[in-house]
Amino acid sequence: MIELDEKYVFHIPLFRYADGKLIEIEIDDLIEDLMIQFSQIGHDNLYVTKVNGYYKSRRYDELLITLFVCKSTHNPEEIFQNWFKKHNDVLQQEAFAYECGNKMYIEKIM
């Protein structure tokens, strides 16, 4: 039996806010890049859920990528952090967020 004892949830916005309105982000290629990076370190089994989020009274769609890992494996949050910063020219977000266990981490980038 395999026991995966760490749960991560990565929050990926599908919209950016500019000029007073929400603008949809072309995200497919960026998501593919993230999936390839996770797969390269052995994280091939994950779940993607589309949800509604709220930020500063704005409602928007986002993807939640849920990943279960063993504590002794690579840290997927480093991949997510680097991926988000690398692609923030397209994402255009003030910050990014992810969950690990029962905690949420928010890192400002702008």
Side-chain angles (χ1 to χ4, degrees):
M1 175 168 58
I2 298 171
E3 182 176 316
L4 304 173
D5 50 9
E6 285 284 333
K7 177 183 178 183
Y8 289 90
V9 180
F10 301 103
H11 294 245
I12 301 176
L14 298 178
F15 289 84
R16 60 185 170 88
Y17 188 73
D19 300 322
K21 60 184 175 182
L22 290 171
I23 300 168
E24 190 169 2
I25 299 169
E26 295 292 329
I27 198 81
D28 291 343
D29 290 341
L30 303 182
I31 296 295
E32 182 68 21
D33 178 51
L34 182 60
M35 297 304 153
I36 288 169
Q37 291 184 54
F38 283 149
S39 181
Q40 288 174 339
I41 62 167
H43 301 309
D44 294 320
N45 189 14
L46 49 86
Y47 307 92
V48 179
T49 309
K50 188 175 181 180
V51 299
N52 288 131
Y54 289 86
Y55 179 70
K56 295 185 177 179
S57 300
R58 298 185 295 260
R59 180 178 157 201
Y60 60 93
D61 290 334
E62 70 176 325
L63 295 179
L64 300 180
I65 297 177
T66 304
L67 178 66
F68 290 90
V69 302
C70 181
K71 284 183 184 178
S72 63
T73 62
H74 296 88
N75 294 327
E77 71 268 24
E78 291 176 25
I79 289 173
F80 181 69
Q81 291 166 343
N82 292 333
W83 172 86
F84 210 105
K85 291 174 184 177
K86 174 183 173 184
H87 294 295
N88 202 42
D89 59 326
V90 175
L91 300 169
Q92 297 183 13
Q93 302 297 310
E94 299 173 8
F96 61 87
Y98 67 93
E99 303 168 46
C100 180
N102 291 321
K103 296 181 182 179
M104 177 176 256
Y105 299 90
I106 301 169
E107 184 174 334
K108 291 191 181 285
I109 50 179
M110 291 183 97

